[in-house]
Amino acid sequence: MDLKLDNVAEAAKVIDPVFLNSPQYSDEQLNARLGRHVLVKIETLNPLRSFKGRGADYFAAGLEPGTTMVCGTSGNFGQAVAFAARKHGLRAEVFVPADISPVKLRRMKTLGARVRRVEGEVKVAAAAFAAEAPDRVFVVDGREPAISEGAGTIGLELAREDGIDTVVLPVGDGALIAGVALWLKAHWPDVRIVGVGTTSAPAMAKSWLAGEPITVDRADSFAGGISIRTPEHESIRRLRSLVDDFVLVANDDLRAAMRLGAETLGVLPEPAGAAGLAALTVHDIPGDRIATVITGANAVWPPEYRMDTRASSASASVSII
């Protein structure tokens, strides 16, 4: 099934308001560091600390009572499924990698999901589990139209600004960039959509170029939110028609972008969430007025951003070195 503009508009009325109308603004410090004008949208100020709640909530709204949502995820989507299932009176079974971020694992459990840590392919394990009972629905981020349409409400909100000619977005499974591009290209036909992946997990970038799924070994899970091994057919098809360019960034670029976000925006993104900033830092992406999205902040704080516990409670401060 193809994505529909009307569904994006409907999603903006259905999705829990806690995820909608996130801040979007131009920060002078960030502009100075990047040497260009950039509109930044912050998708971290919600109960999930990521944009994933938009799509999961819109998808869950269409399920029958008593359904169990089953997914395989590196973390943020699992939190979104857990939140949406609890809100709509459903159940959530989330399959995750054995080396999942402890921050994301803890938050999924707190939101009420039953979490199953597995070795190997989490989607394969989740699909097999879902097939065992008729009340279980296997939810694949990047495949389900409703999830992309829910994420597309970010594009609807960006379209309220004037003069944006380029949008740079992190790409994992492709749900975000497909939904945003669908809305923006319908209203601004000349807008340029640029996806960002990582050099250590370039499956989507290679698949986008080839026009078919290409499986690659994931070198590491540093940017787990955009590290996938095999993209979905449906997602590649959408991105081939909606995305104009694709760039890759290295882990060191992501680390620098995380620090840049903390120093200029007062937000510490997770590695995947900082991919747009990283791309703008290391690639000469054309555009007079560029927009990007900080997509998530479920990060473990690195040692250089530490609370100085030697100080008294009255004078404790965060040291950035």
Side-chain angles (χ1 to χ4, degrees):
M1 182 185 298
D2 232 346
L3 306 183
K4 298 179 180 179
L5 280 173
D6 287 348
N7 289 350
V8 177
E10 179 190 55
K13 301 174 183 177
V14 171
I15 293 170
D16 193 317
V18 74
F19 299 116
L20 299 173
N21 299 309
S22 56
Q24 53 190 50
Y25 57 91
S26 178
D27 180 84
E28 294 303 324
Q29 292 186 84
L30 180 63
N31 290 347
R33 294 279 290 272
L34 294 176
R36 64 197 311 169
H37 187 284
V38 177
L39 178 79
V40 181
K41 190 168 184 60
I42 309 295
E43 284 289 306
T44 65
L45 305 177
N46 62 61
L48 304 179
R49 302 178 190 169
S50 86
F51 76 94
K52 295 285 189 179
R54 295 178 185 248
D57 194 31
Y58 186 50
F59 181 87
L63 297 178
E64 294 294 327
T67 299
T68 297
M69 298 176 70
V70 183
C71 71
T73 173
S74 63
N76 281 348
F77 185 61
Q79 293 180 67
V81 166
F83 181 98
R86 185 173 68 177
K87 174 189 170 184
H88 293 279
L90 312 174
R91 293 180 295 275
E93 296 271 355
V94 181
F95 289 72
V96 301
D99 63 348
I100 188 174
S101 157
V103 173
K104 296 179 181 180
L105 177 64
R106 183 170 58 251
R107 290 177 63 79
M108 280 187 283
K109 290 181 176 179
T110 300
L111 289 165
R114 182 174 181 182
V115 183
R116 300 169 182 260
R117 298 173 73 167
V118 299
E119 299 288 349
E121 290 296 315
V122 295
K123 285 187 178 180
V124 173
F129 177 80
E132 293 174 356
D135 63 341
R136 299 173 186 172
V137 173
F138 181 40
V139 189
V140 181
D141 197 6
R143 185 183 71 184
E144 319 300 344
I147 293 174
S148 284
E149 290 159 350
T153 56
I154 290 175
L156 183 152
E157 293 165 16
L158 285 173
R160 296 168 185 163
E161 304 289 336
D162 293 325
I164 296 174
D165 52 21
T166 303
V167 179
V168 181
L169 295 171
V171 181
D173 54 69
L176 170 66
I177 199 168
V180 170
L182 175 77
W183 186 270
L184 291 182
K185 283 187 173 289
H187 295 82
W188 300 337
D190 295 329
V191 70
R192 185 173 181 78
I193 306 295
V194 180
V196 186
T198 67
T199 55
S200 61
M204 183 59 89
K206 289 186 175 183
S207 299
W208 175 79
L209 284 170
E212 61 183 10
I214 293 180
T215 299
V216 300
D217 291 329
R218 189 168 65 188
D220 60 55
S221 57
F222 179 67
I226 54 174
S227 296
I228 60 174
R229 293 190 66 242
T230 306
E232 298 292 322
H233 284 273
E234 294 88 345
S235 185
I236 296 166
R237 175 178 55 79
R238 293 165 189 154
L239 268 58
R240 289 274 291 183
S241 65
L242 293 168
V243 175
D244 300 292
D245 198 6
F246 222 112
V247 298
L248 299 178
V249 296
N251 286 352
D252 284 346
D253 301 327
L254 294 173
R255 291 186 182 95
M258 292 170 70
R259 187 179 184 100
L260 178 63
E263 292 175 345
T264 60
L265 303 172
V267 175
L268 179 63
E270 62 185 89
L277 290 182
L280 291 171
T281 302
V282 301
H283 290 283
D284 184 19
I285 297 173
D288 294 324
R289 193 157 190 261
I290 293 178
T292 192
V293 180
I294 306 297
T295 55
N298 287 298
V300 177
W301 278 60
E304 60 264 32
Y305 296 91
R306 66 176 183 271
M307 182 68 73
D308 187 353
T309 56
R310 295 169 297 179
S312 68
S313 60
S315 60
S317 61
V318 174
S319 300
I320 301 179
I321 60 175

